[in-house]
Amino acid sequence: MSRPNCPNCHYPHNACLCASIEPMQVKPTLIILQDPSEVGHAKNSVRLLELVIKDTQVVVGENADDFAELRAQLAQANKPVYLVYPSDTSVCANQTQVEQDVILLFLDGTWRKAYKLLQLNPWLQAYPALHLDLDSASNYTIRKASRSDSLSTLEAAAMMLKAIDNNHNVTPLTNALNAMVEQRLASMPAEVRARYR
């Protein structure tokens, strides 16, 4: 039998994060291309991102056909579109001028899955790519990552918003993530929790 979920945040009642959610509005349009395996993941930060920034658009899929509607939407967009992904051709978002009224595309999945999404969707490479200047480790300690520069999608979104406008207050995003991490850690047995500290 599945545990009952909170009707607002959709987390189980004993893991409800509503008290830590402070909605915010942003000028950039955030679109998440999400690997299907992430959808039901309990530690997925995109669900939190959607709670804080209600206009976040999440499109689940793997190949170009799955993203046909999104591609049509982007083709008709009258604002710049950027892919947030580090590559040989990406530009550091902190060192370039990006206007606020833009569309930011994020790939949600492990590094391996995000790379696979990119390979299966060569149309994404038509958009200029941005990467982040990572001067601190991820706070998303409850998920293991294969690379030291790994960020949760929520953290990447928060950092991109800050890079575009340094005056932007992104604490609603970071506070929500911190609350989820602390809650997950508190629910773990002590010996398991020690592995994540």
Side-chain angles (χ1 to χ4, degrees), residues 80-98:
V81 179
Y82 292 94
L83 173 66
V84 181
Y85 190 87
S87 68
D88 293 340
T89 58
S90 62
V91 176
C92 181
N94 303 77
Q95 296 170 4
T96 188
Q97 190 66 40
V98 179

Side-chain angles (χ1 to χ4, degrees), residues 49-93:
L49 180 58
E50 290 179 281
L51 289 169
V52 177
I53 302 176
K54 301 276 189 199
D55 293 335
T56 301
Q57 183 180 343
V58 181
V59 186
V60 179
E62 288 184 299
N63 57 48
D65 289 342
D66 297 332
F67 299 112
E69 282 186 33
L70 173 62
R71 293 169 67 191
Q73 174 190 336
L74 295 174
Q76 295 183 14
N78 57 356
K79 55 179 80 172
V81 179
Y82 292 94
L83 173 66
V84 181
Y85 190 87
S87 68
D88 293 340
T89 58
S90 62
V91 176
C92 181

Side-chain angles (χ1 to χ4, degrees), residues 127-153:
Y127 298 111
L130 297 171
H131 66 260
L132 293 156
D133 183 12
L134 302 180
D135 53 4
S136 59
S138 170
N139 291 325
Y140 198 34
T141 53
I142 55 173
R143 284 190 81 170
K144 297 295 184 187
S146 58
R147 291 172 47 155
S148 61
D149 59 351
S150 294
L151 290 174
S152 68
T153 302

Side-chain angles (χ1 to χ4, degrees), residues 121-187:
N121 294 278
W123 58 272
L124 285 169
Q125 294 175 39
Y127 298 111
L130 297 171
H131 66 260
L132 293 156
D133 183 12
L134 302 180
D135 53 4
S136 59
S138 170
N139 291 325
Y140 198 34
T141 53
I142 55 173
R143 284 190 81 170
K144 297 295 184 187
S146 58
R147 291 172 47 155
S148 61
D149 59 351
S150 294
L151 290 174
S152 68
T153 302
L154 180 147
E155 287 176 305
M159 289 183 70
M160 275 303 306
L161 292 171
K162 199 75 176 163
I164 290 172
D165 178 6
N166 194 44
N167 295 317
H168 206 108
N169 178 16
V170 296
T171 53
L173 286 169
T174 53
N175 287 348
L177 183 67
N178 291 341
M180 183 173 78
V181 168
E182 287 307 314
Q183 185 202 76
R184 291 282 190 271
L185 290 173
S187 68

